[in-house]
Amino acid sequence: MLIADLSVREQILETANRLFYEQGYNLTGINQIIEEAGVAKASLYYHFPSKEDLCVEYLKKRYKNWSTLLQRFLANVEDPKERIIKSFECRSKYLVDTHFGGCSYTRIIAEMPQRSVKINDQVIANKEKQRMFFIEQIKKMKGTRTVAVSDLANAIFLLFDGATMQCQVYRDLHPMKNALKAVKMLL
Amino acid sequence: MLIADLSVREQILETANRLFYEQGYNLTGINQIIEEAGVAKASLYYHFPSKEDLCVEYLKKRYKNWSTLLQRFLANVEDPKERIIKSFECRSKYLVDTHFGGCSYTRIIAEMPQRSVKINDQVIANKEKQRMFFIEQIKKMKGTRTVAVSDLANAIFLLFDGATMQCQVYRDLHPMKNALKAVKMLL
DNA sequence: AAAAACTCAGACAAACTTGTCTACCTGACT
DNA sequence: AGTCAGGTAGACAAGTTTGTCTGAGTTTTT
């Protein structure tokens, strides 16, 4: 589990990333994190003022990892429509790789009805970045659009997000396939 | 908080329903439930073998309540297309009434990565019933369909479910409005 | 009348929770 | 030589968690 050559801070964050996502935020204790990260408790609280702050960094990391994966998938793909389709395929791979863990942002929200401002803002920021990806692609698309750019992008984003969640629930890729079919209907 | 004339079992379930949804399943303790329900701990464990079993009953109750609300919304609405649109409006009302609590089934899944079989089965059953509603409406729709019934119904279900989740995240109805726009594009 | 179902209050076990604090150590920079 | 960033181990506080159990009392059914 321990990854060599990682600073203590990175070791903590990497371990928290794994445990928060695999077990859930509320079910993961600070003690388990420091134990599995192989660091002292004071070290955790030296780098992260609280579990809540660690959660915010976790959310940032999740977005960074997703973004990296997506960029790899989209390298050499120019056509906007093709980029949208590829992003759904990227999501499918992500879901399989994570054993259908679903969207980490959504899950954090679901776990914390009494959302803190910090966590709320980070989740919204991450979601908005995902939404903007679709906005950008639709904007780039040629052809006279009969519907507004944002309406189409938002619809695709809803399908993307909805399918991610349903894949988690059903532990199967079929919702993502259905979402892709719907996207093709809309485009 | 206490509702008169309810049996002890119903009092417990009603309180659990409120607390699980408002605070989350993991953050709601048995002790809080019995305290707010005004019953003894032994009474809870007499009616529900475990917190997990209580959760299953909670999920059943949530579906029953949603189903009742939906039926009230759809009374006197015959046209399948209109019934679909009304179901989205019903969801909007539901979300506002629950202060954007989102979908209880989804949230339970999000909170419990190590899903028990009982809970998993109940969530799937509830979700499938919701999906079947859309299947039924599409089936009833006249006109030569260029796409398969299930593909269209699944797309609408994805939008419905995705919008419910996004409304929870954004604490706003705009995703549901976007979903409805998308549905109208598809129909 | 007897039995069964239901309800109460609360102690108890054995664990876990976040965060603080003491006390110490190492290495780098000024 | 001195300061400070970064690290160790672990005790501690004050609370929480689910579930069991004792022991009693009431209500309903047979």
Side-chain angles (χ1 to χ4, degrees), chain A residues 8-185:
Chain A
V8 167
R9 200 197 122 100
E10 281 167 334
Q11 189 66 253
I12 293 165
L13 189 48
E14 180 57 40
T15 307
N17 177 42
R18 178 171 56 82
L19 293 175
F20 285 167
Y21 192 74
E22 282 178 7
Q23 307 185 343
Y25 176 77
N26 286 323
L27 297 174
T28 301
I30 291 291
N31 292 325
Q32 193 188 359
I33 295 171
I34 59 165
E35 195 187 323
E36 298 200 17
V39 302
K41 185 176 276 196
S43 298
L44 188 149
Y45 280 100
Y46 176 80
H47 291 286
F48 308 96
S50 68
K51 196 187 176 187
E52 182 192 336
D53 291 271
L54 181 55
C55 181
V56 172
E57 294 308 310
Y58 156 71
L59 290 166
K60 285 183 188 168
K61 187 184 177 74
R62 291 283 335 161
Y63 177 75
K64 227 174 273 177
N65 289 356
W66 161 253
S67 181
T68 304
L69 181 67
L70 183 61
Q71 273 183 286
R72 270 215 305 279
F73 250 75
L74 298 183
N76 312 321
V77 183
E78 290 294 324
D79 181 50
K81 186 173 166 179
E82 198 56 42
R83 284 170 70 87
I84 290 172
I85 291 167
K86 266 267 181 296
S87 75
F88 276 69
E89 287 165 12
C90 181
R91 197 58 156 183
S92 290
K93 179 186 163 38
Y94 177 88
L95 289 167
V96 170
D97 288 353
T98 61
H99 308 287
F100 299 102
C103 171
S104 53
Y105 327 142
T106 305
R107 277 176 52 186
I108 286 291
I109 293 298
E111 276 199 84
M112 312 178 74
Q114 45 7 337
R115 239 173 287 182
S116 81
V117 176
K118 279 185 216 172
I119 289 173
N120 182 65
D121 289 355
Q122 192 57 54
V123 167
I124 302 273
N126 287 7
K127 287 262 182 208
E128 280 299 288
K129 275 187 238 170
Q130 290 187 319
R131 192 175 70 90
M132 285 314 289
F133 167 78
F134 295 113
I135 295 270
E136 284 162 22
Q137 306 314 312
I138 299 292
K139 267 188 186 159
K140 279 192 280 182
M141 279 178 67
K142 302 190 192 92
T144 31
R145 304 231 59 82
T146 52
V147 290
V149 165
S150 63
D151 284 351
L152 191 50
N154 288 337
I156 293 169
F157 181 45
L158 277 168
L159 290 165
F160 179 86
D161 230 4
T164 298
M165 183 270 282
Q166 286 194 2
C167 284
Q168 181 193 353
V169 170
Y170 289 96
R171 285 192 273 219
D172 193 278
L173 280 184
H174 75 259
M176 195 57 71
K177 287 175 190 153
N178 290 335
L180 196 47
K181 277 188 195 177
V183 167
K184 285 170 181 168
M185 288 184 218

Side-chain angles (χ1 to χ4, degrees), chain B residues 110-123:
Chain B
E111 276 199 84
M112 311 178 75
Q114 49 1 340
R115 238 172 287 182
S116 81
V117 176
K118 281 186 217 172
I119 289 173
N120 182 65
D121 289 356
Q122 192 58 53
V123 167

